[in-house]
Coordinates of all heavy atoms in Angstrom, one line a residue:
M1 N 0.8 -1.2 -0.1 CA 0.0 0.0 0.0 C 0.9 1.2 0.0 O 0.7 2.1 -0.8 CB -1.0 0.0 1.3 CG -1.7 1.1 1.4 SD -3.3 0.8 0.4 CE -4.2 2.3 0.9
E2 N 1.8 1.3 0.9 CA 2.8 2.4 1.0 C 3.5 2.5 -0.4 O 3.7 3.7 -0.9 CB 3.7 2.3 2.0 CG 4.7 3.5 2.4 CD 5.5 3.3 3.6 OE1 5.1 2.8 4.6 OE2 6.7 3.7 3.5
H3 N 4.0 1.5 -0.9 CA 4.6 1.6 -2.2 C 3.7 2.1 -3.3 O 4.3 3.0 -4.1 CB 5.0 0.1 -2.7 CG 5.7 0.0 -4.0 ND1 5.0 -0.3 -5.2 CD2 6.9 0.3 -4.3 CE1 5.8 -0.2 -6.1 NE2 7.0 0.0 -5.7
D4 N 2.5 1.7 -3.3 CA 1.5 2.4 -4.4 C 1.3 3.8 -4.1 O 1.2 4.5 -5.1 CB 0.2 1.6 -4.2 CG 0.2 0.1 -4.6 OD1 1.1 -0.3 -5.2 OD2 -0.6 -0.7 -4.0
I5 N 1.3 4.3 -2.9 CA 1.1 5.7 -2.7 C 2.4 6.5 -3.1 O 2.3 7.5 -3.8 CB 0.9 6.0 -1.2 CG1 -0.4 5.4 -0.8 CG2 1.0 7.4 -0.9 CD1 -0.7 5.3 0.8
K6 N 3.5 5.8 -2.8 CA 4.8 6.5 -3.3 C 4.9 6.6 -4.8 O 5.1 7.6 -5.5 CB 6.1 5.7 -2.8 CG 7.3 6.3 -3.2 CD 8.5 5.4 -2.8 CE 9.9 6.1 -3.2 NZ 11.0 5.3 -2.8
I7 N 4.4 5.6 -5.5 CA 4.4 5.5 -7.0 C 3.5 6.5 -7.5 O 3.7 7.3 -8.5 CB 4.1 4.1 -7.5 CG1 5.1 3.1 -7.1 CG2 3.8 4.2 -9.0 CD1 6.5 3.4 -7.7
Q8 N 2.3 6.5 -6.9 CA 1.2 7.6 -7.4 C 1.8 9.0 -7.2 O 1.5 9.9 -8.1 CB 0.0 7.4 -6.4 CG -1.2 8.2 -7.1 CD -1.6 7.9 -8.5 OE1 -1.5 6.7 -8.9 NE2 -1.9 8.9 -9.3
I9 N 2.5 9.3 -6.2 CA 3.0 10.6 -5.9 C 4.2 10.9 -7.0 O 4.2 12.0 -7.5 CB 3.7 10.7 -4.4 CG1 2.6 10.7 -3.5 CG2 4.5 12.0 -4.4 CD1 3.0 10.5 -2.0
L10 N 4.9 9.9 -7.3 CA 6.0 10.1 -8.3 C 5.3 10.3 -9.7 O 5.7 11.3 -10.5 CB 6.8 8.9 -8.5 CG 7.8 8.6 -7.4 CD1 8.5 7.2 -7.6 CD2 8.8 9.7 -7.2
L11 N 4.2 9.7 -10.0 CA 3.4 9.9 -11.2 C 2.9 11.3 -11.4 O 3.0 11.9 -12.3 CB 2.4 8.8 -11.4 CG 2.7 7.3 -11.6 CD1 1.6 6.5 -11.7 CD2 3.7 7.2 -12.9
E12 N 2.3 11.7 -10.2 CA 1.7 13.0 -10.2 C 2.9 14.1 -10.4 O 2.7 15.1 -11.2 CB 1.0 13.3 -8.9 CG -0.2 12.5 -8.8 CD -0.9 12.6 -7.5 OE1 -0.4 13.5 -6.5 OE2 -1.9 11.9 -7.2
Q13 N 4.0 13.9 -9.8 CA 5.1 14.8 -10.0 C 5.7 14.9 -11.4 O 6.0 15.8 -11.9 CB 6.2 14.4 -9.0 CG 5.9 14.7 -7.6 CD 7.0 14.2 -6.5 OE1 7.7 13.2 -6.8 NE2 7.1 14.9 -5.5
I14 N 5.7 13.7 -12.0 CA 6.1 13.6 -13.5 C 5.1 14.2 -14.3 O 5.6 15.1 -15.2 CB 6.4 12.1 -13.8 CG1 7.5 11.6 -12.9 CG2 6.7 12.1 -15.2 CD1 7.6 10.0 -13.0
A15 N 3.9 13.8 -14.2 CA 2.7 14.3 -15.1 C 2.5 15.7 -15.0 O 2.4 16.5 -16.0 CB 1.5 13.5 -14.8
V16 N 2.4 16.2 -13.8 CA 2.0 17.6 -13.5 C 3.2 18.6 -13.5 O 3.1 19.6 -14.0 CB 1.2 17.8 -12.3 CG1 0.8 19.2 -11.9 CG2 -0.1 16.9 -12.2
L17 N 4.3 18.2 -12.8 CA 5.4 19.2 -12.7 C 6.7 18.9 -13.6 O 7.6 19.6 -13.5 CB 5.9 19.0 -11.2 CG 4.9 19.3 -10.1 CD1 5.5 19.1 -8.8 CD2 4.3 20.7 -10.2
N18 N 6.6 17.9 -14.4 CA 7.6 17.5 -15.3 C 8.9 17.2 -14.5 O 10.0 17.6 -14.9 CB 7.8 18.5 -16.4 CG 6.8 18.8 -17.3 OD1 6.0 17.8 -17.7 ND2 6.3 20.0 -17.6
D19 N 8.7 16.5 -13.4 CA 9.9 16.4 -12.4 C 10.7 15.3 -12.8 O 10.4 14.1 -12.8 CB 9.3 16.2 -11.1 CG 10.2 16.1 -9.9 OD1 11.5 15.8 -10.2 OD2 9.9 16.3 -8.8
K20 N 12.0 15.7 -13.3 CA 13.0 14.7 -13.8 C 13.5 13.9 -12.7 O 13.8 12.6 -12.9 CB 14.1 15.4 -14.5 CG 13.7 16.1 -15.8 CD 14.8 16.8 -16.5 CE 14.3 17.5 -17.7 NZ 15.3 18.2 -18.4
V21 N 13.6 14.4 -11.5 CA 14.1 13.6 -10.3 C 13.1 12.6 -10.0 O 13.5 11.3 -9.8 CB 14.4 14.5 -9.2 CG1 14.8 13.6 -7.9 CG2 15.6 15.5 -9.4
A22 N 11.8 12.8 -10.1 CA 10.7 11.7 -9.8 C 10.8 10.7 -10.9 O 10.7 9.6 -10.5 CB 9.4 12.5 -9.7
F23 N 11.0 11.2 -12.1 CA 11.1 10.3 -13.3 C 12.3 9.3 -13.1 O 12.2 8.1 -13.2 CB 11.2 11.0 -14.5 CG 11.3 10.1 -15.7 CD1 10.4 9.5 -16.2 CD2 12.7 9.9 -16.4 CE1 10.4 8.5 -17.4 CE2 12.8 9.1 -17.4 CZ 11.7 8.4 -18.0
E24 N 13.5 9.8 -12.6 CA 14.6 8.9 -12.3 C 14.3 7.9 -11.3 O 14.7 6.8 -11.3 CB 15.8 9.8 -12.0 CG 16.4 10.6 -13.1 CD 17.6 11.4 -12.6 OE1 18.2 11.1 -11.5 OE2 17.9 12.3 -13.4
Q25 N 13.6 8.4 -10.1 CA 13.2 7.5 -9.1 C 12.3 6.4 -9.7 O 12.4 5.2 -9.2 CB 12.4 8.3 -8.0 CG 13.5 9.2 -7.3 CD 12.8 10.1 -6.2 OE1 11.5 10.1 -6.2 NE2 13.5 10.8 -5.4
L26 N 11.3 6.8 -10.5 CA 10.4 5.8 -11.1 C 11.2 4.8 -11.9 O 11.1 3.6 -11.8 CB 9.3 6.4 -11.9 CG 8.3 5.5 -12.6 CD1 7.4 5.0 -11.4 CD2 7.5 6.2 -13.5
F27 N 12.1 5.2 -12.7 CA 13.0 4.4 -13.7 C 13.8 3.5 -12.7 O 13.6 2.3 -13.0 CB 14.0 5.3 -14.3 CG 14.9 4.5 -15.2 CD1 14.6 4.2 -16.4 CD2 16.2 4.2 -14.7 CE1 15.5 3.4 -17.3 CE2 17.0 3.5 -15.5 CZ 16.7 3.1 -16.8
Y28 N 14.3 3.9 -11.7 CA 15.1 3.0 -10.9 C 14.4 2.0 -10.0 O 14.8 1.0 -9.7 CB 16.2 3.8 -9.9 CG 17.3 4.4 -10.7 CD1 17.5 5.7 -10.8 CD2 18.2 3.6 -11.6 CE1 18.4 6.3 -11.5 CE2 19.1 4.2 -12.2 CZ 19.4 5.5 -12.3 OH 20.3 6.1 -13.0
Q29 N 13.2 2.4 -9.7 CA 12.2 1.6 -9.0 C 11.9 0.3 -9.9 O 11.7 -0.8 -9.3 CB 11.0 2.3 -8.7 CG 10.0 1.7 -7.8 CD 10.3 1.7 -6.3 OE1 11.2 2.5 -5.9 NE2 9.9 0.8 -5.6
Y30 N 11.8 0.5 -11.2 CA 11.3 -0.7 -12.0 C 12.4 -1.2 -12.9 O 12.1 -2.3 -13.5 CB 10.1 -0.1 -12.8 CG 8.8 0.0 -12.2 CD1 8.4 1.1 -11.5 CD2 8.0 -1.1 -12.0 CE1 7.2 1.2 -10.9 CE2 6.8 -1.1 -11.4 CZ 6.4 0.1 -10.8 OH 5.3 0.1 -10.1
F31 N 13.5 -0.5 -13.1 CA 14.4 -1.1 -14.1 C 14.9 -2.4 -14.0 O 14.9 -3.2 -14.9 CB 15.7 -0.1 -14.1 CG 16.7 -0.6 -15.2 CD1 16.5 -0.2 -16.5 CD2 17.8 -1.2 -14.8 CE1 17.5 -0.6 -17.5 CE2 18.7 -1.8 -15.8 CZ 18.5 -1.4 -17.1
K32 N 15.3 -2.9 -12.8 CA 15.7 -4.2 -12.7 C 14.7 -5.3 -13.0 O 15.0 -6.3 -13.7 CB 16.4 -4.5 -11.2 CG 17.7 -3.8 -11.0 CD 18.1 -4.1 -9.6 CE 19.4 -3.4 -9.3 NZ 19.9 -3.6 -8.1
K33 N 13.5 -5.1 -12.5 CA 12.4 -6.1 -12.7 C 12.0 -6.1 -14.2 O 12.0 -7.2 -14.8 CB 11.2 -5.6 -12.0 CG 11.4 -5.8 -10.4 CD 10.1 -5.5 -9.6 CE 10.1 -4.0 -9.4 NZ 8.9 -3.6 -8.5
L34 N 12.0 -4.9 -14.9 CA 11.7 -4.9 -16.3 C 12.7 -5.5 -17.1 O 12.5 -6.1 -18.1 CB 11.3 -3.5 -16.7 CG 10.0 -3.0 -16.0 CD1 9.8 -1.6 -16.5 CD2 8.8 -3.8 -16.5
H35 N 14.0 -5.1 -16.7 CA 15.1 -5.7 -17.4 C 15.2 -7.1 -17.4 O 15.4 -7.9 -18.5 CB 16.5 -5.1 -16.8 CG 17.7 -5.6 -17.6 ND1 18.5 -6.6 -17.0 CD2 18.3 -5.1 -18.6 CE1 19.5 -6.7 -17.9 NE2 19.4 -5.9 -18.9
R36 N 14.9 -7.8 -16.3 CA 14.9 -9.3 -16.3 C 13.7 -9.7 -17.1 O 13.9 -10.8 -17.8 CB 14.7 -9.7 -14.8 CG 15.9 -9.8 -14.0 CD 15.8 -10.5 -12.5 NE 14.7 -9.8 -11.7 CZ 14.9 -8.9 -10.8 NH1 16.1 -8.5 -10.7 NH2 13.9 -8.6 -10.2
F37 N 12.6 -9.1 -17.0 CA 11.5 -9.6 -17.8 C 11.9 -9.5 -19.4 O 11.7 -10.5 -20.2 CB 10.2 -8.7 -17.6 CG 9.1 -9.1 -18.2 CD1 8.3 -10.3 -18.1 CD2 8.5 -8.1 -19.1 CE1 7.2 -10.5 -18.7 CE2 7.3 -8.4 -19.9 CZ 6.8 -9.6 -19.7
A38 N 12.3 -8.4 -19.8 CA 12.7 -8.2 -21.2 C 13.8 -9.2 -21.6 O 13.7 -9.8 -22.7 CB 13.2 -6.7 -21.4
N39 N 14.7 -9.4 -20.7 CA 15.9 -10.4 -21.0 C 15.3 -11.8 -21.3 O 15.8 -12.6 -22.1 CB 16.9 -10.4 -19.9 CG 18.1 -10.9 -20.4 OD1 18.7 -10.7 -21.6 ND2 18.8 -11.8 -19.6
A40 N 14.1 -12.2 -20.6 CA 13.7 -13.5 -20.7 C 13.0 -13.6 -22.1 O 12.8 -14.8 -22.6 CB 12.5 -13.7 -19.6
I41 N 12.7 -12.5 -22.7 CA 12.1 -12.5 -24.1 C 13.2 -12.4 -25.1 O 13.1 -13.2 -26.1 CB 11.0 -11.3 -24.2 CG1 9.9 -11.5 -23.3 CG2 10.6 -11.3 -25.6 CD1 9.1 -10.3 -23.0
V42 N 14.0 -11.4 -25.0 CA 15.0 -11.2 -26.1 C 16.3 -11.9 -25.9 O 17.0 -12.0 -26.9 CB 15.3 -9.8 -26.2 CG1 14.0 -9.0 -26.6 CG2 15.9 -9.1 -25.1
R43 N 16.6 -12.4 -24.8 CA 17.7 -13.3 -24.4 C 19.1 -12.5 -24.8 O 20.0 -13.2 -25.3 CB 17.8 -14.6 -25.2 CG 16.4 -15.3 -24.8 CD 16.7 -16.5 -23.9 NE 15.5 -17.4 -23.9 CZ 15.0 -17.7 -22.7 NH1 15.5 -17.1 -21.6 NH2 14.0 -18.4 -22.6
D44 N 19.1 -11.2 -24.5 CA 20.3 -10.5 -24.9 C 20.3 -9.3 -23.8 O 19.4 -8.5 -23.8 CB 20.4 -9.9 -26.2 CG 21.6 -9.2 -26.6 OD1 22.8 -9.8 -26.6 OD2 21.6 -7.9 -26.6
R45 N 21.3 -9.2 -23.0 CA 21.4 -8.2 -21.9 C 21.2 -6.8 -22.5 O 20.6 -5.9 -22.1 CB 22.7 -8.4 -21.2 CG 22.8 -7.4 -20.0 CD 24.0 -7.8 -19.1 NE 24.3 -6.7 -18.2 CZ 25.1 -5.7 -18.3 NH1 25.9 -5.7 -19.5 NH2 25.4 -4.8 -17.6
Q46 N 22.1 -6.5 -23.6 CA 22.1 -5.1 -24.0 C 20.7 -4.7 -24.7 O 20.2 -3.6 -24.5 CB 23.3 -4.9 -25.1 CG 23.4 -3.5 -25.6 CD 24.6 -3.3 -26.4 OE1 25.3 -4.3 -26.7 NE2 24.7 -2.2 -27.0
T47 N 20.2 -5.7 -25.5 CA 18.9 -5.4 -26.0 C 17.8 -5.2 -25.1 O 17.0 -4.3 -25.2 CB 18.6 -6.5 -27.0 OG1 19.6 -6.8 -28.0 CG2 17.2 -6.3 -27.7
S48 N 17.8 -6.0 -24.0 CA 16.8 -5.8 -23.0 C 16.9 -4.5 -22.3 O 16.0 -3.8 -21.9 CB 16.9 -7.0 -21.9 OG 18.1 -7.0 -21.3
E49 N 18.2 -4.0 -22.1 CA 18.5 -2.7 -21.5 C 17.8 -1.7 -22.5 O 17.2 -0.7 -22.0 CB 19.9 -2.3 -21.3 CG 20.5 -3.1 -20.2 CD 22.0 -2.8 -20.1 OE1 22.5 -1.9 -20.7 OE2 22.6 -3.6 -19.1
E50 N 18.0 -1.7 -23.7 CA 17.4 -0.8 -24.7 C 15.9 -1.0 -24.8 O 15.2 0.1 -24.8 CB 18.0 -1.2 -26.1 CG 19.4 -0.9 -26.3 CD 20.0 -1.4 -27.6 OE1 19.2 -1.7 -28.5 OE2 21.2 -1.4 -27.9
V51 N 15.3 -2.1 -24.6 CA 13.9 -2.2 -24.4 C 13.4 -1.5 -23.3 O 12.3 -0.6 -23.4 CB 13.5 -3.7 -24.4 CG1 12.0 -3.9 -24.0 CG2 13.7 -4.5 -25.7
V52 N 14.0 -1.6 -22.1 CA 13.4 -0.9 -21.0 C 13.7 0.6 -21.1 O 12.8 1.4 -20.7 CB 14.2 -1.5 -19.7 CG1 13.7 -0.7 -18.4 CG2 13.9 -2.9 -19.5
S53 N 14.8 1.0 -21.6 CA 15.0 2.4 -21.9 C 14.0 3.0 -22.9 O 13.5 4.1 -22.6 CB 16.4 2.6 -22.5 OG 17.4 2.3 -21.5
D54 N 13.6 2.3 -23.9 CA 12.6 2.6 -24.8 C 11.2 2.9 -24.2 O 10.4 3.8 -24.3 CB 12.5 1.8 -26.0 CG 13.6 1.8 -26.9 OD1 14.4 2.8 -26.9 OD2 13.6 0.9 -27.8
V55 N 10.9 1.9 -23.2 CA 9.7 2.0 -22.4 C 9.7 3.3 -21.6 O 8.6 4.1 -21.8 CB 9.5 0.9 -21.5 CG1 8.4 1.1 -20.5 CG2 9.2 -0.4 -22.2
F56 N 10.7 3.7 -21.1 CA 10.8 4.9 -20.2 C 10.8 6.1 -21.0 O 10.3 7.1 -20.6 CB 11.9 4.8 -19.1 CG 11.3 4.0 -18.0 CD1 11.6 2.7 -17.8 CD2 10.6 4.6 -17.0 CE1 11.2 2.0 -16.8 CE2 10.2 3.9 -15.8 CZ 10.4 2.6 -15.7
V57 N 11.5 6.0 -22.2 CA 11.4 7.2 -23.1 C 10.0 7.5 -23.5 O 9.6 8.7 -23.5 CB 12.3 7.0 -24.3 CG1 11.9 8.0 -25.5 CG2 13.7 7.0 -24.0
N58 N 9.3 6.5 -23.8 CA 7.8 6.7 -24.0 C 7.0 7.2 -22.9 O 6.1 8.0 -23.1 CB 7.2 5.3 -24.6 CG 7.8 5.0 -25.9 OD1 8.2 5.7 -26.7 ND2 7.7 3.5 -26.2
I59 N 7.4 6.7 -21.8 CA 6.7 7.3 -20.6 C 7.0 8.7 -20.4 O 6.0 9.5 -20.2 CB 7.2 6.5 -19.2 CG1 6.8 5.0 -19.2 CG2 6.9 7.4 -17.9 CD1 5.2 4.9 -18.9
W60 N 8.1 9.2 -20.6 CA 8.6 10.6 -20.4 C 7.8 11.4 -21.5 O 7.3 12.4 -21.3 CB 10.0 10.8 -20.5 CG 10.3 12.3 -20.3 CD1 10.8 13.1 -21.4 CD2 10.3 13.0 -19.1 NE1 11.0 14.4 -20.8 CE2 10.7 14.4 -19.5 CE3 10.0 12.8 -17.9 CZ2 10.8 15.4 -18.5 CZ3 10.1 13.8 -16.9 CH2 10.3 15.0 -17.2
E61 N 7.9 11.0 -22.7 CA 7.3 11.7 -23.9 C 5.8 11.8 -23.7 O 5.2 12.7 -24.2 CB 7.6 11.0 -25.2 CG 9.1 11.1 -25.6 CD 9.4 10.4 -26.8 OE1 8.7 9.6 -27.3 OE2 10.5 10.7 -27.4
N62 N 5.1 10.9 -23.0 CA 3.7 10.9 -22.9 C 3.3 11.2 -21.4 O 2.2 10.8 -21.0 CB 3.0 9.6 -23.4 CG 3.3 9.4 -24.8 OD1 2.7 10.2 -25.6 ND2 4.1 8.5 -25.2
R63 N 4.1 11.8 -20.7 CA 4.0 12.0 -19.2 C 2.6 12.7 -18.8 O 2.1 12.6 -17.8 CB 5.1 12.7 -18.6 CG 5.4 14.1 -19.1 CD 6.8 14.6 -18.6 NE 7.2 15.9 -19.3 CZ 7.7 16.0 -20.4 NH1 8.0 14.9 -21.2 NH2 8.0 17.2 -20.9
S64 N 2.2 13.6 -19.8 CA 0.9 14.2 -19.5 C -0.3 13.3 -19.3 O -1.2 13.7 -18.6 CB 0.7 15.3 -20.4 OG 0.4 14.7 -21.8
K65 N -0.2 12.1 -19.9 CA -1.2 11.2 -19.7 C -1.0 10.0 -18.7 O -1.7 9.1 -18.5 CB -1.3 10.4 -21.0 CG -1.7 11.3 -22.2 CD -1.9 10.7 -23.6 CE -2.1 11.6 -24.7 NZ -2.2 11.1 -25.8
L66 N 0.1 10.2 -17.8 CA 0.4 9.2 -16.9 C -0.7 8.9 -15.9 O -0.9 7.8 -15.5 CB 1.7 9.7 -16.2 CG 3.0 9.2 -16.7 CD1 4.1 9.7 -15.8 CD2 3.1 7.8 -16.8
L67 N -1.4 10.0 -15.5 CA -2.5 9.8 -14.5 C -3.7 9.0 -15.1 O -4.6 8.6 -14.3 CB -2.8 11.1 -13.9 CG -1.7 11.9 -13.2 CD1 -2.1 13.3 -12.8 CD2 -1.0 11.1 -12.2
E68 N -3.7 8.9 -16.3 CA -4.9 8.0 -16.9 C -4.6 6.5 -16.8 O -5.4 5.7 -17.0 CB -5.1 8.3 -18.3 CG -5.3 9.8 -18.6 CD -5.4 10.1 -20.1 OE1 -5.3 9.2 -20.9 OE2 -5.4 11.3 -20.4
I69 N -3.3 6.1 -16.4 CA -3.0 4.7 -16.3 C -3.5 4.1 -14.9 O -3.2 4.7 -13.9 CB -1.4 4.5 -16.3 CG1 -1.0 4.9 -17.7 CG2 -1.0 3.0 -16.1 CD1 0.5 5.0 -17.8
E70 N -4.3 3.1 -15.0 CA -5.0 2.6 -13.8 C -4.0 1.8 -13.0 O -4.1 1.7 -11.7 CB -6.2 1.9 -14.1 CG -7.3 2.7 -14.7 CD -8.6 2.0 -14.9 OE1 -8.8 1.0 -14.3 OE2 -9.5 2.4 -15.7
N71 N -3.2 0.8 -13.7 CA -2.3 0.1 -13.0 C -0.9 0.2 -13.7 O -0.7 -0.5 -14.6 CB -2.8 -1.4 -13.2 CG -1.9 -2.4 -12.3 OD1 -0.7 -2.2 -12.2 ND2 -2.6 -3.3 -11.6
L72 N 0.0 0.8 -13.1 CA 1.2 1.3 -13.7 C 2.1 -0.1 -13.9 O 2.7 -0.2 -15.0 CB 2.1 2.3 -12.9 CG 3.3 2.6 -13.5 CD1 3.3 3.4 -14.7 CD2 4.3 3.3 -12.5
N73 N 2.0 -0.9 -12.9 CA 2.9 -2.1 -13.0 C 2.4 -3.0 -14.3 O 3.3 -3.3 -14.9 CB 2.6 -3.0 -11.6 CG 3.7 -4.0 -11.6 OD1 4.8 -3.8 -11.5 ND2 3.2 -5.3 -11.4
N74 N 1.1 -3.1 -14.3 CA 0.7 -3.9 -15.5 C 1.1 -3.3 -16.8 O 1.5 -3.8 -17.8 CB -0.8 -4.1 -15.5 CG -1.2 -5.2 -14.5 OD1 -0.4 -5.9 -13.9 ND2 -2.5 -5.2 -14.2
Y75 N 0.9 -1.9 -16.9 CA 1.2 -1.1 -18.1 C 2.6 -1.2 -18.5 O 2.9 -1.4 -19.6 CB 0.9 0.4 -17.8 CG 1.2 1.3 -18.9 CD1 0.2 1.6 -19.9 CD2 2.5 1.9 -19.1 CE1 0.5 2.3 -21.0 CE2 2.7 2.7 -20.1 CZ 1.7 3.0 -21.1 OH 2.0 3.8 -22.1
L76 N 3.6 -1.2 -17.5 CA 5.0 -1.3 -17.8 C 5.4 -2.6 -18.3 O 6.2 -2.8 -19.2 CB 5.8 -0.9 -16.5 CG 5.7 0.6 -16.0 CD1 6.5 0.8 -14.8 CD2 6.4 1.5 -17.2
Y77 N 4.9 -3.6 -17.7 CA 5.2 -5.0 -18.2 C 4.6 -5.3 -19.6 O 5.3 -5.8 -20.4 CB 4.6 -6.1 -17.2 CG 5.7 -6.2 -16.1 CD1 5.5 -5.7 -14.9 CD2 6.7 -7.1 -16.2 CE1 6.4 -5.7 -13.8 CE2 7.7 -7.4 -15.2 CZ 7.5 -6.7 -13.9 OH 8.4 -6.9 -13.0
I78 N 3.5 -4.8 -19.8 CA 2.8 -5.0 -21.1 C 3.6 -4.1 -22.3 O 4.0 -4.7 -23.3 CB 1.3 -4.5 -21.2 CG1 0.5 -5.5 -20.3 CG2 0.7 -4.5 -22.6 CD1 -0.9 -5.1 -20.1
A79 N 4.0 -2.9 -21.9 CA 4.8 -2.1 -22.8 C 6.1 -2.7 -23.0 O 6.6 -2.7 -24.2 CB 5.0 -0.6 -22.2
T80 N 6.7 -3.3 -22.1 CA 8.1 -3.9 -22.2 C 7.9 -5.1 -23.1 O 8.8 -5.4 -24.1 CB 8.5 -4.4 -20.8 OG1 8.7 -3.2 -20.0 CG2 10.0 -5.1 -20.9
K81 N 6.9 -6.0 -22.9 CA 6.7 -7.1 -23.7 C 6.4 -6.7 -25.2 O 7.0 -7.3 -26.1 CB 5.4 -7.9 -23.3 CG 5.1 -9.1 -24.1 CD 3.8 -9.8 -23.7 CE 2.7 -8.9 -24.3 NZ 1.4 -9.4 -24.3
N82 N 5.6 -5.6 -25.4 CA 5.3 -5.1 -26.7 C 6.7 -4.7 -27.5 O 6.8 -5.0 -28.7 CB 4.3 -4.1 -26.8 CG 2.9 -4.7 -26.4 OD1 2.7 -5.9 -26.4 ND2 2.0 -3.8 -26.0
I83 N 7.4 -4.0 -26.8 CA 8.6 -3.4 -27.4 C 9.6 -4.6 -27.6 O 10.4 -4.6 -28.6 CB 9.2 -2.3 -26.5 CG1 8.4 -1.0 -26.7 CG2 10.6 -1.9 -27.0 CD1 8.8 0.1 -25.8
A84 N 9.7 -5.5 -26.6 CA 10.7 -6.7 -26.9 C 10.3 -7.6 -28.1 O 11.2 -8.0 -28.7 CB 10.6 -7.4 -25.5
I85 N 9.0 -7.6 -28.2 CA 8.5 -8.5 -29.3 C 8.8 -7.7 -30.6 O 9.3 -8.1 -31.7 CB 7.1 -8.8 -29.2 CG1 6.9 -9.9 -28.0 CG2 6.5 -9.6 -30.5 CD1 5.5 -10.2 -27.6

């Protein structure tokens, strides 16, 4: 629950304030998990890093719509899968 509140605060800071520090915190919160997930799909460390980076570039570019995402965790894993494929 506390984790969800922290993530929601980060999303608000990113979406409303264009807060780069909050974005970095979000990135580091999810990078390792998403990297492992992407690596299971593409089977290449460097490519999986690029996949996760692409996911977060998309997040930053569309940050004004972040608050529309109902479940960030699901969203990130689906985006990672789609980019990896």
